[in-house]
């Protein structure tokens, strides 16, 4: 008879904030197949990558939604001299049925007006609607649900990203001047993200979360514990953004950069893990279920994630909650490794709930996947202090800084430097 595995801590479902309480753990080798055979060289990597992705589909993020058979995109609006003449502003609407019924996604694209050829595009989902990017009355505000406003309507945050006091900023003029386009859509339009305490049953996670683009994938089979999750749906939407970018001649979609913060950082990571067309990924402060190791039991943990965000992770993930260190047969470094040999920059910050040491350890453990290709992995340095850039390699990098939760000017600056490094 096997001895039952004890709970990791008596209060395993609360966050631990004491390094001394972290139980010992071992991490799976990214370069060893599940059957124990080694990954001998780059030629073996696609098979191992697939194996890892299927673990994450079965145990954490649910089945990957299919590529749509139909995608109709319409240029709804365009202005050739937006942003004081610096940008071309284009707004697209995307549907997944020929008759334009059902779910739709609105994309805002800002590209440098004076570019001489196709430019790389920075692609991300936003939290509050496309109107938060720039102070521009003509940015379309989609009529959809928002999780944090009292009336559940999108907040009036026009141009919030241009306010230097905001936790998330977008230095749009600098990005355009540096030769990048920016493309974004509102994640709640893809599929809503209800809070766990939502009092109105119509808007609770159990039902409301699986609306929006979920409508395209038919009825969910509730007997399965690996149904598609919201994070899976949002990541799918980022791939649809890339599909659109590929159709726009002024963009160089082969050089796309996928990013996002927090739950949308987890989303960016999953999008890049699943879709190899993304050559660069910057998951900002992705937190539990993103870059940080789950076995490094600090801050939010499998138990809190499974309880508070039932629609982010599939039910299969909850079985690891009582003792991730001993029960998990995988960890987030494997997801990070699936990005190799592409480029990944991981910005962290110091809010303990987000366990940024876990970010660093995860990158460290994923690093052999880059080395397999003869590329430098994470620089072999100790856990860097705030604003120390020593752990940023040309392919895999980590840094942290003191600003609050969001994508700060410093993060964009680090990204621009990272992009120029090779
Ligand atoms: C919560 C959650 C995190 C998430 C964050 C966010 O803090 O626990 O996992 O990243 O919300 O998305 O804002």
């Amino acid at each position: 008879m096997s001895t039952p595995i004890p709970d990791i801590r008596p209060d395993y479902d609360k966050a631990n904030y004491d390094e001394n309480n972290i139980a010992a753990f071992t991490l799976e080798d990214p370069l060893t197949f599940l059957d124990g055979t080694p990954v001998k060289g780059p030629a073996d990597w696609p098979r191992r990558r697939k194996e890892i992705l299927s673990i994450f589909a079965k145990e954490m993020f649910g089945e990957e939604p299919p590529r749509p058979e139909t995608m109709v995109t319409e240029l709804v609006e365009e202005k050739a001299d937006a942003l004081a003449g610096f940008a071309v502003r284009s707004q697209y609407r995307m549907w997944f049925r020929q008759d334009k019924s059902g779910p739709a996604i609105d994309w805002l694209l800002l590209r440098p007006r004076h570019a001489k050829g196709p430019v790389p595009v920075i692609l991300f989902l936003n939290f509050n609607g496309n109107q938060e990017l720039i102070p521009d009355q003509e940015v379309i505000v989609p009529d959809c649900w928002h999780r944090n406003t009292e009336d559940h309507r999108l907040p009036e945050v026009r141009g919030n990203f241009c306010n230097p006091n905001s936790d998330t900023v977008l230095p749009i003029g600098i990005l355009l001047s540096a030769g990048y386009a920016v493309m974004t859509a509102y994640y709640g339009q893809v599929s809503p993200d209800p809070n766990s305490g939502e009092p109105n049953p119509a808007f609770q996670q159990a039902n409301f979360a699986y609306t929006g683009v979920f409508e395209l994938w038919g009825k969910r089979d509730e007997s399965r514990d690996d149904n598609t999750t919201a994070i899976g749906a949002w990541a799918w939407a980022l791939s649809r953004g890339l599909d659109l970018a590929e159709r726009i001649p002024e963009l160089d979609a082969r050089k796309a950069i996928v990013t996002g913060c927090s739950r949308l950082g987890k989303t960016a990571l999953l999008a890049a893990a699943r879709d190899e067309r993304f050559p660069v990924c910057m998951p900002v402060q992705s937190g539990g279920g993103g870059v940080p190791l789950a076995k490094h039991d600090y801050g939010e943990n499998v138990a809190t994630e499974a309880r508070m965000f039932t629609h982010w992770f599939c039910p299969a993930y909850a079985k690891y909650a009582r003792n991730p260190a001993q029960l998990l047969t995988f960890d987030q470094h494997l997801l990070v490794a699936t990005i190799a040999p592409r480029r990944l920059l991981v910005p962290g910050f110091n809010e303990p709930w987000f366990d940024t040491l876990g970010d660093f350890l995860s990158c460290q453990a994923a690093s052999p996947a880059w080395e397999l290709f003869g590329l430098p992995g994470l620089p072999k340095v100790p856990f860097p202090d705030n604003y120390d850039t020593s752990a940023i390699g040309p392919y895999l990098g980590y840094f942290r800084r003191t600003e609050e939760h969001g994508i700060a000017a410093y993060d964009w600056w680090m990204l621009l430097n990272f992009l120029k490094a090779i």
Side-chain angles (χ1 to χ4, degrees):
M1 233 177 61
S2 60
T3 9
I5 293 179
D7 292 353
I8 195 161
R9 293 177 273 113
D11 54 353
Y12 73 91
D13 58 344
K14 304 224 163 44
N16 166 50
Y17 292 121
D18 183 349
E19 281 286 338
N20 299 315
N21 280 345
I22 299 179
F25 59 87
T26 52
L27 293 175
E28 300 69 28
D29 179 2
L31 302 185
T32 303
F33 284 101
L34 284 176
D35 68 3
T37 56
V39 174
K40 294 211 191 71
D44 286 344
W45 185 241
R47 197 157 54 86
R48 173 62 173 147
R49 195 178 151 267
K50 229 171 136 194
E51 186 176 75
I52 294 172
L53 289 175
S54 78
I55 299 172
F56 281 93
K58 283 202 184 67
E59 303 297 328
M60 196 166 177
F61 294 113
E63 198 183 16
E64 183 177 354
R67 261 188 109 125
E69 278 164 24
T70 308
M71 207 176 92
V72 181
T73 50
E74 206 167 273
L75 179 62
V76 177
E77 186 275 340
E78 191 159 70
K79 188 177 184 194
D81 58 348
L83 296 176
F86 251 108
V88 179
R89 178 197 69 213
S90 318
Q91 301 190 71
Y92 296 85
R93 179 157 265 218
M94 175 184 278
W95 295 266
F96 306 95
R97 293 195 185 113
Q98 217 45 264
D99 65 359
K100 300 186 198 162
S101 64
I105 305 177
D106 291 319
W107 294 97
L108 168 67
L109 169 67
L110 299 163
R111 60 182 167 85
R113 185 174 161 211
H114 299 290
K116 295 215 167 52
V119 294
V121 59
I122 301 173
L123 192 61
F124 60 94
L125 297 179
N126 62 67
F127 278 107
N128 297 303
N130 298 345
Q131 79 283 3
E132 73 177 329
L133 261 72
I134 48 171
D136 180 337
Q137 288 305 321
E138 275 159 68
V139 175
I140 297 163
V141 183
D143 181 21
C144 38
W145 188 87
H146 188 272
R147 80 188 150 104
N148 285 338
T149 52
E150 216 161 298
D151 59 0
H152 287 313
R153 299 192 72 79
L154 289 194
E156 190 48 51
V157 286
R158 240 172 239 284
N160 195 37
F161 280 15
C162 291
N163 173 0
N165 289 318
S166 165
D167 293 337
T168 288
V169 296
L170 183 85
I172 185 67
I174 301 282
L175 296 176
L176 294 169
S177 306
Y180 293 92
V182 167
M183 194 168 144
T184 190
Y186 169 50
Y187 89 130
Q189 191 183 28
V190 175
S191 99
D193 180 25
N195 288 328
S196 59
E198 171 62 50
N200 182 341
F203 293 147
Q204 284 169 359
Q205 289 174 358
N207 300 311
F208 192 53
Y210 307 111
T211 58
V213 296
F214 281 90
E215 196 200 296
L216 302 169
W217 306 320
K219 200 171 152 29
R220 293 161 73 77
D221 174 357
E222 298 303 340
S223 68
R224 290 178 61 154
D225 63 4
D226 65 344
N227 276 321
T228 300
T229 57
I231 292 184
W234 299 324
W236 176 92
L238 285 168
S239 287
R240 303 296 71 83
L242 188 55
D243 293 343
L244 171 59
E246 283 177 342
R247 297 175 183 192
I248 300 173
E250 292 83 6
L251 300 181
D252 184 353
R254 288 164 313 167
K255 292 195 179 147
I257 298 115
V258 65
T259 185
C261 181
S262 216
R263 64 198 71 187
L264 296 178
K266 307 183 215 303
T267 300
L269 177 67
L270 184 64
R274 286 182 166 171
D275 190 339
E276 285 183 291
R277 294 175 302 161
F278 286 114
V280 184
C281 176
M282 177 171 79
V284 180
Q285 306 168 356
S286 58
V291 175
L293 295 174
K295 294 184 191 181
H296 185 256
D297 174 28
Y298 192 89
E300 71 178 311
N301 56 43
V302 178
T304 62
E305 288 156 27
R307 183 178 71 243
M308 292 161 65
F309 308 106
T310 54
H311 57 305
W312 292 4
F313 308 103
C314 60
Y317 194 49
K319 66 176 172 291
Y320 302 109
R322 304 190 80 105
N323 193 333
Q326 286 192 46
L327 293 170
L328 273 171
T329 51
F330 61 96
D331 208 337
Q332 299 310 110
H333 66 299
L334 295 182
L335 191 63
V336 169
T338 63
I339 310 288
R342 295 168 291 146
R343 304 176 69 199
L344 180 74
L345 180 63
V346 176
F349 82 132
N350 299 308
E351 162 75 51
W353 177 253
F354 288 80
D355 185 22
T356 202
L357 174 57
D359 279 325
F360 177 71
L361 297 174
S362 180
C363 292
Q364 229 174 27
S367 195
W370 277 266
E371 288 154 16
L372 177 73
F373 288 83
L375 299 171
L378 195 76
K380 294 188 179 11
V381 296
F383 183 44
D385 206 344
N386 296 310
Y387 306 103
D388 173 349
T389 56
S390 63
I392 306 182
Y395 289 86
L396 176 60
Y398 166 85
F399 68 92
R400 62 181 165 137
R401 41 65 169 184
T402 56
E403 288 82 351
E404 295 295 319
H405 192 32
I407 313 184
Y410 189 79
D411 301 324
W412 293 113
W413 181 237
M414 288 298 106
L415 175 66
L416 289 177
N417 289 334
F418 182 69
L419 291 170
K420 280 194 304 203
I422 56 168

